[in-house]
């Protein structure tokens, strides 16, 4: 799972705290949290101007991917997330990145996430908790994907901790 926030929440506060509260909400919703990465602060992509707090979580659930997605969307709505501008500011974003069942495709969900291997804000936190997990499409570990991305990144734009 990838988590991201770049808007304050009335109850939870700053984006870093929103991410932590979302992890607690996932546990309250019956998902078993196995590991959580440190939260990184990363530059936005797209039209948003606010920096993001990003993290990754390894979860366990008996839910199939479509039901898990529905549960995550409910948590997003409970946090006040509303559909808006693509890549705009958001209070919370919860994405299924990989699944132990390998590939999954439906009209509303693709696993692995279509762009995860090109996004430092997903790979770098994920590398902290699941470095040996293999991307079923490219047959590379998260560690390898993150290393490839680091080689392509300009030195002056590193992801930083808050």
């Amino acid at each position: 799972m990838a988590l991201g926030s770049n808007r304050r929440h009335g109850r939870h506060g700053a984006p870093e705290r929103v991410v932590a509260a979302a992890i607690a909400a996932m546990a309250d919703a019956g998902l078993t949290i196995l590991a959580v990465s440190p939260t990184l602060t990363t530059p936005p992509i797209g039209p948003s101007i606010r920096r993001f707090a990003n993290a990754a979580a390894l979860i366990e659930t008996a839910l199939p991917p479509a039901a898990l997605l529905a549960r995550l969307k409910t948590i997003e709505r409970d946090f006040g997330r509303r559909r808006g501008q693509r890549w705009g500011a958001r209070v919370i974003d919860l994405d299924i990145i990989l699944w132990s069942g390998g590939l999954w495709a439906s009209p509303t969900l693709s696993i692995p996430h279509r762009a995860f291997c090109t996004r430092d804000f997903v790979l770098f936190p994920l590398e902290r908790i699941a470095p040996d997990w293999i991307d079923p499409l490219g047959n590379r570990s998260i560690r390898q994907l993150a290393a490839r991305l680091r080689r392509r990144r300009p030195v002056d734009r590193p992801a930083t901790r808050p």
Side-chain angles (χ1 to χ4, degrees), residues 76-156:
E76 287 181 347
R77 281 190 303 278
D78 290 348
F79 272 66
R81 170 111 188 242
R82 301 293 178 257
R83 294 188 65 83
Q85 184 179 36
R86 184 180 171 112
W87 294 329
R90 61 198 63 184
V91 69
I92 192 67
D93 188 21
L94 305 173
D95 288 325
I96 303 169
I97 302 300
L98 295 165
W99 175 51
S100 60
L103 303 174
W104 175 272
S106 74
T108 58
L109 177 62
S110 294
I111 303 174
H113 189 282
R114 294 172 202 243
F116 92 96
C117 62
T118 64
R119 295 182 171 172
D120 58 0
F121 58 88
V122 173
L123 282 177
F124 296 169
L126 190 56
E127 182 184 28
R128 299 292 296 272
I129 59 172
D132 298 322
W133 196 303
I134 302 295
D135 168 18
L137 290 176
N139 204 32
R140 289 190 168 84
S141 71
I142 298 303
R143 181 182 293 115
Q144 290 170 316
L145 293 170
R148 293 176 107 199
L149 198 56
R150 279 188 189 94
R151 283 194 299 269
R152 285 190 278 216
R153 290 185 57 197
V155 176
D156 61 350

Side-chain angles (χ1 to χ4, degrees), residues 1 17 32 49 51 57 61 69 83 85 92 110 124 129 131 157 162:
M1 295 252 357
R17 295 194 58 189
T32 302
I49 59 171
R51 294 179 66 80
T61 180
L69 179 63
R83 294 188 65 83
Q85 184 179 36
I92 192 67
S110 294
F124 296 169
I129 59 172
R157 264 196 72 207

